[in-house]
Structures are given as C-alpha cells and as structure tokens.
Amino acid sequence: MNSVENDELIDWQVAGATARGLARPGPAVSRAGADRAVAELRACAVAAEEHVRAFTGLEVPAADRPVLVVDSHSWVNANLDVMRTLSSPLVEKVRQYREGVPSGALRSTANTVGAKLTGAEVGSVLAFFSTRVLGQYDPFGADGGRLLLVAPNIVRVERELGVHPPDFRLWVCLHEEAHRAQFGAVPWLRDHLLDGLAALVAELDLEPAQLAVRMREAIRRYARPDERAPAGAPAERVDSEPSAVTRTGRRSLLDLVRTPEQRAAMDRLTAVMTLLEGHATYVMDGVGPLVVPSVAEISREFARRRNTHRIRPDALLRKVLGLDAKMRQYRDGERFVRSVVGEVGMDGFNRIWTSPNTLPTMAEIAQPAAWVRRVPLRRG
C-alpha cells in the first residue's frame, strides 16, 4: 500500500514542496497588526457560530471544534492531509487492479517519474488556491472537523476592497461557520460524502485500453458541434434567467470520457456539494444584514472584484480547476434553499438533514418543488 500511495500515484513530498515554493507571500503586516487580525478572526468565528445557530435552527453539540488562523503554507499542509484522505479510495482501487497485473508491467522508473510529475501538478493547484482561499471548513481532519481562516488572504482582500476589516472578517466567518454547523448537526454527513467519493472511484475503469477507446470517442464527439448536446444531456441553469433550465451545450473532455455509471455517481456527489454551498451562501446572505453593518458595501465590492478577475490571464486555469462550476454551485444551491425555505420555512427545510434519502437530487436542485413533494412533512 505504501508503495502504491507514495511511489506510484502522487509524490506528496514533491506536492508539498511545489506548493510552498510557488505560493505567494501575504501582504506586509506589522507584528502587532498580525496579532490583532488573528485575535479578531477568532472572535468573529465565535460570534458567527451563535448567529448561524440562531438563524438555521441547527443544534450543534458542544465539542472542541478548533478554529485555526493560518498562513498560506499552513493551509497547504492542512489540505495535503485532506487530499491524502480523499485519495484513499483511489489508492485502494489501484491496489486491487494491480493484484491481477504482473508487477513488472506497472512498477517501473516511469511510474516513479509519473508520481513526481503528478505531485508537482497537485502542488501547483494547491499553490493557486493557497493565496485565494479566505476560509475553509475541513470535515475530514483526523481529529474531527476544523475551521481554517487564512489571515494573509483575508487582510489582502479587505485592503483591495477598501472595506471595514471587522465587518469583512465576520462576513467571511459566517459562510464557513454555516459549513461547520452542517457537519456538526448532521453527524452522518461526513461519511456520506466519503461514501459518495468511494462510489465514484468504484466506477473507474483503470484498464488503459478502455480509457483510450473512450478518450478517442470523446475527442471525436467534441470535434463535432452537432454531437455536443445529445438527447438527455444534463440540464444547466441559464445565468440570465434564474427560473429557466437549458441543456448543457458544451461539455468538457473529462465529462465525455465518463461512463454513464460515473456520471450518475458524480451527479449524486455534486448534488450534495451544491446543497452545502448554497445553504452556506443563503445563511451568510440572511445573517449578514442583521449583524454586519456594511454588508451591502462588502457584497457589492466583492462581486465587482470577482467580475474584474474573470478577465485575468488565469481565467483558463480557473476553468480547468472547475471554479466556474463552483460558482454555479453557489448560485443554484442558494436558489434551491431560498425556494424551499420560502415555501415550507426553515424548520421544513431542515427536514433535508434527516438522512441521505432526504437530500436533493440534481433534478430537485433545479426543481425545488419536486423535493418538497417527495420528502415527508415529518421527520422519520
């Protein structure tokens, strides 16, 4: 197992060294200013926890759920741990596959070089995010969930926006505390996500010949415009018309390579992530006006900054990393939550946390009324 994990898939030492080497330093801050920022972020996290509990009605058991105020290098280290955890199903899948293949056919110097290249790629991705992430709730830590607040990034962005730092810091904490409430109040949620990832990996076909066939078919289909939107293609909302649904007219090569079983597993996992991101955004937008005096200015400036950054040279990398899809998760998920709460209230919406069977499907994310009809009125 160690050989597979460390030598033949991802070289984690290379990943960490690459990420730390490429990560940009934070803004210049005095020692006193850094200490104040850390203390204030910790206080904002505590305050946000109370605001989120009151707004959502989610009962989070009292427990030691650490708040870690970190720099970019510490964020990289934390997320290397997360990625090792999340990659474990794939490691096991590869191990099982290789049991039936002669060892000499797979274990070679080329595999070691490939692991180092993959490690460098992983490190590059982490470096990209390490200077952009403001906060993150990590439910997969070995000692339970932990909230990470990346102080240098928060300070840099609040300076760029010209907003009131205490308000901006509380605003950031509201979103991440919503995630902490989700996992704290719903103890089965973490394992459900891990099971979903394992189900997705279980459908992977590691046979090189089969992968090559599907890749060639994907390229052929992608090259022909008339085949980019086959009947039954997944639906995607139109930004200009919130209530409308349209077929996806263009899918990536990776989408086309996936088998139907993989797409089904991915849809189930995506539905959960869309719910979690949308719910956190709804909570932040709902609580913000009540407790953040300058929330309107912060939201306006943050949106302006996001639109401006879309034309930067890293726009292609953002697409490759799926950041555009992440934004759709915020929008579609928030729209779903707002619609359901508007129809059945927050108590009715909280039925969604009853069990994996009451989570919405992707079709229900697009049609919230369908979820309301399906889920029974009372818990259980």
Side-chain angles (χ1 to χ4, degrees), residues 308-328:
T308 301
H309 282 212
R310 283 179 180 169
I311 61 175
R312 285 174 46 174
D314 61 13
L316 178 60
L317 180 57
R318 288 173 178 272
K319 282 186 174 294
V320 171
L321 294 177
L323 294 185
D324 288 348
K326 183 79 167 179
M327 294 313 302
R328 287 197 296 273

Side-chain angles (χ1 to χ4, degrees), residues 57-342:
L58 292 177
E59 293 297 330
V60 181
D64 182 19
R65 297 183 301 280
V67 176
L68 304 179
V69 182
V70 299
D71 60 13
S72 59
H73 284 190
S74 296
W75 182 89
V76 164
N77 292 336
N79 278 272
L80 284 170
D81 292 340
V82 172
M83 295 184 74
R84 290 175 76 105
T85 297
L86 296 182
S87 65
S88 58
L90 181 59
V91 171
E92 176 62 16
K93 177 80 171 182
V94 171
R95 185 190 66 78
Q96 293 175 0
Y97 171 73
R98 288 176 175 172
E99 285 180 350
V101 179
S103 60
L106 286 169
R107 291 170 175 79
S108 66
T109 301
N111 292 332
T112 301
V113 172
K116 292 184 180 299
L117 289 174
T118 304
E121 292 169 352
V122 168
S124 298
V125 170
L126 286 175
F128 176 84
F129 280 110
S130 70
T131 54
R132 288 160 174 80
V133 171
L134 303 181
Q136 171 191 0
Y137 180 70
D138 166 27
F140 303 111
D143 299 323
R146 53 186 176 177
L147 176 61
L148 305 174
L149 298 171
V150 191
N153 296 347
I154 292 173
V155 171
R156 187 186 69 254
V157 172
E158 67 193 20
R159 287 179 178 179
E160 291 175 356
L161 299 182
V163 295
H164 187 50
D167 285 2
F168 183 74
R169 294 166 188 180
L170 178 56
W171 186 73
V172 169
C173 288
L174 289 174
H175 188 276
E176 304 312 326
E177 284 292 345
H179 284 312
R180 186 153 70 160
Q182 293 162 352
F183 285 92
V186 188
W188 51 263
L189 187 55
R190 176 186 183 275
D191 288 341
H192 179 68
L193 283 176
L194 291 175
D195 290 345
L197 181 62
L200 178 62
V201 170
E203 296 298 336
L204 288 176
D205 186 351
L206 298 179
E207 171 56 46
Q210 292 299 320
L211 285 174
V213 168
R214 291 209 304 275
M215 179 61 75
R216 287 195 299 271
E217 175 66 11
I219 294 172
R220 183 186 68 82
R221 291 173 60 189
Y222 196 76
R224 297 184 181 181
D226 59 328
E227 296 187 23
R228 286 179 183 165
E236 179 177 298
R237 288 184 181 267
V238 183
D239 290 343
S240 59
E241 180 56 50
S243 63
V245 174
T246 185
R247 293 192 196 285
T248 300
R250 204 164 183 164
R251 287 152 57 190
S252 70
L253 290 178
L254 290 178
D255 288 332
L256 294 171
V257 167
R258 293 192 189 113
T259 65
E261 293 78 13
Q262 284 174 282
R263 285 197 291 270
M266 178 61 78
D267 280 351
R268 290 191 294 271
L269 196 59
T270 301
V272 179
M273 297 306 299
T274 301
L275 168 68
L276 297 180
E277 294 296 352
H279 179 252
T281 299
Y282 177 83
V283 171
M284 180 179 69
D285 290 347
V287 177
L290 304 176
V291 300
V292 181
S294 61
V295 67
E297 178 189 359
I298 291 173
S299 298
R300 182 179 65 252
E301 292 301 316
F302 201 76
R304 181 188 58 77
R305 177 180 183 272
R306 179 183 296 149
N307 290 333
T308 301
H309 282 212
R310 283 179 180 169
I311 61 175
R312 285 174 46 174
D314 61 13
L316 178 60
L317 180 57
R318 288 173 178 272
K319 282 186 174 294
V320 171
L321 294 177
L323 294 185
D324 288 348
K326 183 79 167 179
M327 294 313 302
R328 287 197 296 273
Q329 285 184 350
Y330 287 130
R331 292 194 300 268
D332 291 353
E334 191 275 338
R335 196 175 296 136
F336 169 83
V337 175
R338 176 160 35 86
S339 177
V340 173
V341 172

